[in-house]
Each structure stands twice: as structure tokens, then as C-alpha cells.
Amino acid sequence: DWSSDVCSSDLAGAKSAEEYLSTYKLNRAVRKSGGLIGRKAVPDAAELAQSLMVNNPLKRVNAVDKQAAQEMARFYDTLPAKDPFAHEAYLALSREVAEQMKAIEKAGYRIEFVDTDPYKSSAEMMRDVAENRRLKVYKTAEGQAHPFMTPEENDAFRAVHDFIAHAGGGNQFGPVGEENAYRLHAATLSPEAQLALATETRGQNSWVNFGPNAHLPPSKRPFAAQKARSEEHTSELQSRFGISYA
């Protein structure tokens, strides 16, 4: 019964049966996600992302607290490169990401790992997912070893995050889009895996967008150094940012 998920006014502008179905899928995913999935998401990807949600999500935001993000960036700089107490969180993240990758591939999407940045914008990436059912991912370069994940696990994380949190959430690559991408992906993971996700997304993105190189154009900013922090450090970041991650 479609009427329980979508009303006729949502579909009034559809010009074909295919567009009608896509609009229905997107509206249903937006509603079932509590509004965390955005209206610019790829419909099929949004439907899959919503189906993977396992906990109550944080709400979608329209802005990032700049002062809090700057403080998070400064704190990220002080974290150890490899905290042994973070290992279990990364094991959980890699394990759950592997299952999410299987779900994406089972849905008929092709993941291609490439040696150069494949897209000029998030919009270009989302078009590729929508039109070609393909996602290209900038694979881990030599010399960029992760403290706990193998290159293959790190590549899988990048692919799954871009698919679920960006294409499936309709989120751009800028500060607000990255924050909402974190919130959506977190809703699909266990509390333990969320700790590692916070490092890989919220921590790194705060450093890139609000850290010491924030004065540079986005294309000129260096990537954040890999940090693998423990629950103790994540809790400290939670209190500084004023938002619970779990």
C-alpha cells in the first residue's frame, strides 16, 4: 500500500512511471529516516541506506557550529596516531562495513577503485551512481597506511561511506554535507563502530575544514593525518562538540 508512505502531492510532478517510482522511493526513504536523508539523494541508494539504519539517528542539520568545529580540529591535532584501545572499534567498523559493501554489490552496484580522484564534485559522483549504478573510489595510496585497517579495508570504508552517506543521503562534500553524512552512516552502525567512524569522518573533516589550513581553497587543503583514537578520546571530543555520537 503506497498510500501509507507517500501522498499524491509528492508525485504530482512526475513525468513517467520510472520518475514516479523514483520519487516514491526517495520520499519513503526520507520519511522513514526521520528526515536524515536529504531530498537530493539518489533514490535507490537512499532506499538501501534507510534499510541499513539500526538505531535512532541524530537529526539532520543545516549548519555546523564553527567555533565547536575549530575546537574539535585543535583537539584532533593532539590525538595519538595509534591508540591501542581503539583497535576493537576499528575491528567493528571494518566488519560492519564489509557487510554493507555486500549489500551494495547485491543491489547491483559496481565499485571501481582508481588511482586518481575520480570526481570533481559530489554532484558528479551522485550522477554516476544514479545513471550508471557505479561508484568510483580513490583508493588508498602507497605510503598512506592506516593504523588499524588494511588498504583493502580502508578502501571499502571509503566506498561504503560515499555510497550510503553521500549518494544515499544526498550530502555534498562540504562541512554541512560531511556532518550529515556522518550522522546518516552512524545510524547504520553499532555504538562501538561509531567510535571509529567519528575519527574517520567528524574528526578529520573538522581538521580539514576548520583547522590550520582552513584559509586555503578546499582543493589546496592537505588531508588530515590518520588518527585512531580510543573511546576515552572520542568521549572528550563529544563533550567539546556538545553532541552525543552514540
Side-chain angles (χ1 to χ4, degrees):
D1 181 6
W2 289 19
S3 63
S4 63
D5 293 313
V6 66
C7 60
S8 58
S9 62
D10 290 325
L11 305 170
K15 299 178 181 179
S16 66
E18 182 178 1
E19 187 176 344
Y20 187 95
L21 179 59
S22 292
T23 303
Y24 161 71
K25 286 180 177 180
L26 179 57
N27 287 339
R28 182 173 65 173
V30 170
R31 287 177 180 145
K32 286 191 172 184
S33 72
L36 184 54
I37 290 173
R39 294 282 177 182
K40 295 183 179 180
V42 177
D44 284 345
E47 186 176 51
L48 179 56
Q50 188 280 317
S51 74
L52 293 171
M53 291 174 64
V54 294
N55 54 63
N56 294 326
L58 296 169
K59 293 182 179 180
R60 190 174 181 86
V61 297
N62 296 316
V64 172
D65 185 327
K66 184 177 179 180
Q67 184 175 353
Q70 288 173 334
E71 188 172 356
M72 181 183 284
R74 287 192 293 270
F75 187 64
Y76 187 85
D77 256 340
T78 71
L79 296 177
K82 184 176 182 178
D83 185 340
F85 293 104
H87 193 203
E88 291 300 319
Y90 276 91
L91 287 176
L93 179 64
S94 294
R95 181 172 60 249
E96 294 172 34
V97 160
E99 291 303 311
Q100 292 177 343
M101 176 73 95
K102 290 179 183 177
I104 293 168
E105 292 174 336
K106 185 177 180 180
Y109 289 91
R110 185 172 76 256
I111 309 296
E112 296 181 4
F113 297 102
V114 297
D115 294 317
T116 57
D117 197 350
Y119 304 114
K120 295 179 181 179
S121 66
S122 53
E124 185 179 354
M125 180 269 287
M126 287 188 230
R127 271 197 308 273
D128 199 14
V129 172
E131 297 174 4
N132 304 312
R133 298 186 76 82
R134 175 184 65 187
L135 174 66
K136 294 181 180 181
V137 179
Y138 189 12
K139 68 182 181 182
T140 305
E142 291 185 15
Q144 292 184 347
H146 190 279
F148 288 122
M149 293 192 288
T150 67
E152 293 76 18
E153 289 172 335
N154 196 38
D155 291 345
F157 169 71
R158 290 179 179 181
V160 168
H161 186 70
D162 280 355
F163 184 93
I164 290 176
H166 287 284
N171 296 312
Q172 297 179 339
F173 292 149
V176 175
E178 294 291 357
E179 172 62 17
N180 283 321
Y182 162 76
R183 291 171 179 236
L184 176 55
H185 203 172
T188 72
L189 298 170
S190 68
E192 188 169 35
Q194 287 178 25
L195 296 174
L197 176 71
T199 300
E200 298 297 308
T201 58
R202 252 184 174 175
Q204 291 187 19
N205 288 320
S206 292
W207 189 90
V208 170
N209 292 311
F210 298 97
N213 300 295
H215 62 287
L216 298 174
S219 62
K220 301 294 184 182
R221 295 173 193 166
F223 292 114
Q226 289 283 1
K227 301 285 183 80
R229 66 176 181 259
S230 66
E231 182 174 359
E232 177 185 357
H233 291 132
T234 301
S235 297
E236 176 69 12
L237 277 174
Q238 289 173 1
S239 65
R240 287 171 183 265
F241 206 50
I243 299 173
S244 173
Y245 288 92

